[in-house]
Amino acid sequence: VKISYLRHKTNLSLFQARLTGFLAAKGIYVTTVDSDDELSEIKVNQLIKVLNQQPDVIQIGLVTGKDLSTAVPNFAHTQANEFILNGHAEIWGKLITEKKWSVVGKFYRTEFLRQILSEMNSHGKYINMAEDFALTTCLMYEAKSFYRCLGIGNYFYRASENSVTRNQWYSKVDSLSKYLMQYERVRLLVTEFLINKNASESEMDNFHLLWCSILKWVLPLFKKLLKNEEISELFFRAFPAAYSLDYLIKTDFELAS
């Protein structure tokens, strides 16, 4: 196996590292494996059979944990989770229903991936958070064929205590501002992508509902800080739907009184 090592002169974020790899890839398909993750129990012969069908996106199993022996699957390994989807409506509908937007654990047809990257606007140059959401949402909107085959093997995502969302720097106002603006850029990128694709009103509504689902894990980081006027303004700019008290009630969150 020939390995090409590419290195940025400075740290440009995970998203930019992936983009560099995507654009340099020469194979028919491309996938990502983060430095602390691994592919597990891949059945190569079965994977090749799926690759030969050339779907736009292939999804294998995805398990999460601190170590592989105790990792928990993100999808139940049932017959119902082994399927092929064809056409925009089926694939987009599945994304909206499941709210699973991880880039990892997927193989992308390289030509298709590069086409989508070329259509994502300049906001993508500055994204280093929620990049999975941005890229996967755009890819799944345009994909014509999607193959889920969990039995082929697993992508092991190692839950790290040092991940961005678990670090304590978000408690600082200046860093928090940057944190929230990252989410605003992601929202703008996907919104503009969908507008350029002439997405219907219902598709835009579904995207906003999908975007709101991120609140379920973002809001606990900020709810004690939202009394600060600057933080509140930035938060509601990045998450306009958070203005809806009904939504916050439905997601079982309460703002600090």
Side-chain angles (χ1 to χ4, degrees), residues 212 215 236 239-251 255:
C212 287
L215 278 174
F236 290 122
F239 297 98
Y243 276 119
S244 170
L245 184 59
D246 288 340
Y247 180 80
L248 297 178
I249 292 173
K250 289 177 182 177
T251 51
L255 298 179

Side-chain angles (χ1 to χ4, degrees), residues 37-141:
D37 298 340
E38 60 185 276
L39 296 176
S40 171
E41 301 177 351
I42 300 298
K43 299 177 178 65
V44 177
N45 289 338
Q46 291 184 33
L47 178 59
I48 290 174
K49 290 180 180 179
V50 176
L51 293 174
N52 285 338
Q53 297 182 46
Q54 297 196 15
D56 289 333
V57 183
I58 300 167
Q59 179 182 10
I60 63 174
L62 176 62
V63 296
T64 306
K66 292 185 177 181
D67 59 73
L68 190 55
S69 63
T70 59
V72 178
N74 284 38
F75 299 94
H77 284 221
T78 64
Q79 187 174 0
N81 265 325
E82 305 281 339
F83 55 76
I84 301 174
L85 298 178
N86 290 294
H88 163 77
E90 285 188 355
I91 298 170
W92 179 247
K94 197 68 174 177
L95 175 67
I96 297 300
T97 301
E98 293 188 338
K99 299 180 177 64
K100 302 283 189 180
W101 55 73
S102 176
V103 167
V104 300
K106 294 183 176 69
F107 292 78
Y108 300 96
R109 191 166 56 80
T110 307
E111 183 180 346
F112 164 68
L113 175 60
R114 287 177 178 157
Q115 172 198 332
I116 300 304
L117 291 175
S118 70
E119 296 173 357
M120 295 174 70
N121 62 38
S122 59
H123 292 291
K125 296 178 181 179
Y126 307 101
I127 289 175
N128 53 40
M129 298 177 68
E131 70 284 345
D132 277 14
F133 179 92
L135 185 54
T136 303
T137 304
C138 295
L139 286 167
M140 296 294 275
Y141 184 84

Side-chain angles (χ1 to χ4, degrees), residues 146-158:
F146 172 79
Y147 199 135
R148 178 180 291 173
C149 40
L150 305 184
I152 282 179
N154 291 314
Y155 182 102
F156 169 51
Y157 176 81
R158 193 182 306 277

